[in-house]
């Protein structure tokens, strides 16, 4: 399953463009949070994998807040957070967003008091995704309880995911691909894995629509180049699938190998430069694992990978650490029997559209597939 991964690497929170502003180059996000006396409300940017703090305020009994930030010609991404619950939004230089919510659960309770249509659409999208998430949880609970067979459970989850994507594409993405709501819809996630995936048949059209529109209308947005790369990668995968399904038997020229995975070229824990392309060229199946040794789940994952490596000695495990602490990575990886490299700036994770840790991919020849678990490479 492409939608079932744990621990979000970056929760892609967005909302949209507004009607008026505090000044010509500022956005305003203000409102009231109930049940929040003494709690700290944080304003964070989510333009990068790890949310960055911009401002904060300790709320009083009235719960009123007002944040101002630098506005741009394109929507930039933010979130308002208390504890682990948050309200995602996007703002440009015209945005003036007013909302209300309860600190008990910001996301499920927030209401837009004033703002533009895109804000309202993004809230609708979030609610649609939350409903789908709940349905998926029900299927997984039944699977865990043994009342559903794995094949039936996966079929139901795929159906739920497809229904959500059909609604999002028809109502929000294709109707206005340049809007903040389209971008928000494209990156809806569950347990850190996005519903739209680069390697999923049909999803390339959604990625292409949004990337083309953002390239035309928001070329200066810092995330537009990454969006374009993701779209091109998705299109390349779609074309490779089509060629594999309908080979051209009339061609006389030598076949050209289509490499449908981004290169990863980083140094391992011993300082040796490692190339993913070089490892794939050796012909053995390759498991690419994006991880972080700081994660509480890391010891269990290492044990799982050790067992998989012992059972399949021919398997190449190419582990990519997203840890911020290089010493932690080197210390944790020093005795591992597989390749471990360090992606300090997260650029390789972005190339692979990694939305949660851990994330897994298999590469056989030139074919890239997203995996739910490492063992799925042999299923």
């Amino acid at each position: 399953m492409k939608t079932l991964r744990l621990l979000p690497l970056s929760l892609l929170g967005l909302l949209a463009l507004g009607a008026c502003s505090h000044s010509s180059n500022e956005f305003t996000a203000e409102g009231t949070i109930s049940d929040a006396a003494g709690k700290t409300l944080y304003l964070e940017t989510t333009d990068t994998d790890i949310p960055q703090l911009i401002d904060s305020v300790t709320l009083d009994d009235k719960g009123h807040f007002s944040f101002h930030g630098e506005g741009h010609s394109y929507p930039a991404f933010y979130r308002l957070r208390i504890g682990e619950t948050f309200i995602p939004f996007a703002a440009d230089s015209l945005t003036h967003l007013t909302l209300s919510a309860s600190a008990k659960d910001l996301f499920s309770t927030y209401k837009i008091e004033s703002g533009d249509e895109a804000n309202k659409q993004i809230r609708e999208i979030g609610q649609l995704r939350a409903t789908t998430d709940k349905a998926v949880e029900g299927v997984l609970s039944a699977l865990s309880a043994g009342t559903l067979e794995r094949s039936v459970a996966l079929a139901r989850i795929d159906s739920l995911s497809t229904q959500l994507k059909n609604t999002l594409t028809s109502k929000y993405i294709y109707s206005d691909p340049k809007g903040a709501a389209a971008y928000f819809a494209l990156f809806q996630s569950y347990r850190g894995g996005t519903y739209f995936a680069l390697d999923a048949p049909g999803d390339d059209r959604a990625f292409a629509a949004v990337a083309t529109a953002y390239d035309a209308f928001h070329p200066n947005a810092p995330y537009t180049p990454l969006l374009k790369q993701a779209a091109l990668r998705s299109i390349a995968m779609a074309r490779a699938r089509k060629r594999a399904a309908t080979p051209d038997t009339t061609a006389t020229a030598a076949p050209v190998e289509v490499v449908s995975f981004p290169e990863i070229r980083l140094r391992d824990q011993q300082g040796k430069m490692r190339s993913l392309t070089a490892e794939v060229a050796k012909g053995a199946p390759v498991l690419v694992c994006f991880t972080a040794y700081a994660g509480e789940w890391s010891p269990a994952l290492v044990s799982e990978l050790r067992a998989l490596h012992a059972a399949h000695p021919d398997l190449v495990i190419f582990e990519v650490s997203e840890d911020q602490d290089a010493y932690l990575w080197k210390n944790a990886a020093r005795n591992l029997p597989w390749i471990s490299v360090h992606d300090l700036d997260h650029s390789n994770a972005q190339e692979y559209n990694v939305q949660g840790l851990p994330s897994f991919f298999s590469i056989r020849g030139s074919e890239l597939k997203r995996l739910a678990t490492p063992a799925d490479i042999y299923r």
Side-chain angles (χ1 to χ4, degrees), residues 93-173:
S93 59
L94 300 177
T95 298
H96 192 131
L97 176 65
T98 304
L99 52 83
S100 62
S102 168
K104 294 178 180 178
D105 189 340
L106 292 183
F107 180 76
S108 65
T109 62
Y110 87 93
K111 297 180 181 179
I112 298 172
E113 306 296 341
S114 66
D116 61 20
E117 185 63 24
N119 282 323
K120 299 172 185 177
Q121 288 181 336
I122 287 173
R123 186 180 182 279
E124 292 172 4
I125 292 168
Q127 296 303 313
L128 285 170
R129 191 220 66 238
T131 299
T132 301
D133 290 351
K134 186 176 180 180
V136 171
E137 288 286 357
V139 175
L140 292 175
S141 295
L143 175 62
S144 179
T147 58
L148 270 185
E149 294 183 359
R150 177 181 172 84
S151 60
V152 175
L154 293 181
R156 289 186 183 180
I157 292 173
D158 283 340
S159 177
L160 289 167
S161 175
T162 299
Q163 290 174 25
L164 175 64
K165 291 196 292 184
N166 287 343
T167 300
L168 296 182
T169 51
S170 63
K171 191 172 182 180
Y172 303 102
I173 292 179

Side-chain angles (χ1 to χ4, degrees), residues 12-15 88 122 125-126 129 180-188:
L12 296 176
L14 308 88
L15 276 188
I122 287 173
I125 292 168
R129 191 220 66 238
Y183 193 100
F184 180 76
L186 188 62
F187 291 101
Q188 285 302 286

Side-chain angles (χ1 to χ4, degrees), residues 28-351:
T28 298
E30 61 183 0
T32 304
I33 307 296
S34 63
D35 308 307
K39 296 182 182 296
T40 301
L41 178 68
Y42 299 93
L43 172 65
E44 299 171 330
T45 177
T46 56
D47 283 340
T48 58
D49 284 337
I50 300 175
Q52 302 294 319
L53 177 65
I54 298 177
D55 202 354
S56 66
V57 62
T58 299
L59 300 171
D60 58 19
D61 292 340
K62 295 181 180 179
H64 179 72
F65 69 92
S66 182
F67 289 121
H68 304 284
E70 181 182 1
H72 305 280
S73 60
Y74 52 83
F77 308 137
Y78 307 91
R79 69 182 188 181
L80 298 168
R81 179 179 64 83
I82 294 178
E84 297 300 319
T85 182
F86 62 90
I87 298 170
F89 71 97
D92 66 2
S93 59
L94 300 177
T95 298
H96 192 131
L97 176 65
T98 304
L99 52 83
S100 62
S102 168
K104 294 178 180 178
D105 189 340
L106 292 183
F107 180 76
S108 65
T109 62
Y110 87 93
K111 297 180 181 179
I112 298 172
E113 306 296 341
S114 66
D116 61 20
E117 185 63 24
N119 282 323
K120 299 172 185 177
Q121 288 181 336
I122 287 173
R123 186 180 182 279
E124 292 172 4
I125 292 168
Q127 296 303 313
L128 285 170
R129 191 220 66 238
T131 299
T132 301
D133 290 351
K134 186 176 180 180
V136 171
E137 288 286 357
V139 175
L140 292 175
S141 295
L143 175 62
S144 179
T147 58
L148 270 185
E149 294 183 359
R150 177 181 172 84
S151 60
V152 175
L154 293 181
R156 289 186 183 180
I157 292 173
D158 283 340
S159 177
L160 289 167
S161 175
T162 299
Q163 290 174 25
L164 175 64
K165 291 196 292 184
N166 287 343
T167 300
L168 296 182
T169 51
S170 63
K171 191 172 182 180
Y172 303 102
I173 292 179
Y174 296 145
S175 61
D176 184 18
K178 70 180 183 301
Y183 193 100
F184 180 76
L186 188 62
F187 291 101
Q188 285 302 286
S189 63
Y190 172 72
R191 292 190 178 184
T194 54
Y195 280 99
F196 288 94
L198 296 183
D199 56 348
D203 287 2
D204 56 298
R205 294 190 293 273
F207 279 102
V210 179
T212 300
Y214 269 68
D215 189 35
F217 291 93
H218 307 303
N220 296 324
Y223 50 83
T224 294
L226 294 176
L227 177 61
K228 289 171 58 180
Q229 291 176 18
L232 291 172
R233 186 64 57 189
S234 185
I235 292 170
M237 293 179 186
R239 290 174 177 171
R241 287 193 300 269
K242 184 176 180 180
R243 279 191 291 269
T246 56
D248 183 4
T249 58
T250 64
T252 57
V256 177
E257 181 181 5
V258 178
V259 178
S260 58
F261 59 89
E263 165 71 316
I264 298 177
R265 185 175 172 80
L266 296 168
R267 295 192 182 279
D268 65 14
Q269 61 270 51
Q270 280 79 41
K272 180 181 178 181
M273 185 62 71
R274 296 286 194 159
S275 165
L276 177 60
T277 300
E279 296 300 325
V280 172
K282 296 177 182 178
V286 177
L287 173 67
V288 181
C289 173
F290 287 89
T291 186
Y293 294 103
E296 61 181 12
W297 38 262
S298 180
L301 176 59
V302 170
S303 296
E304 182 179 359
L305 292 178
R306 283 187 182 277
L308 187 65
H309 186 265
H312 302 280
D314 63 324
L315 176 65
V316 175
I317 299 178
F318 199 101
E319 193 168 38
V320 184
S321 166
E322 300 299 320
D323 289 285
Q324 289 295 302
D325 188 335
Y327 176 79
L328 171 65
W329 159 65
K330 284 186 177 180
N331 187 57
R334 68 182 187 279
N335 294 321
L336 295 179
W338 55 78
I339 299 168
S340 179
V341 297
H342 192 207
D343 184 25
L344 180 60
D345 63 0
H346 310 307
S347 59
N348 289 275
Q350 292 172 340
E351 282 279 329

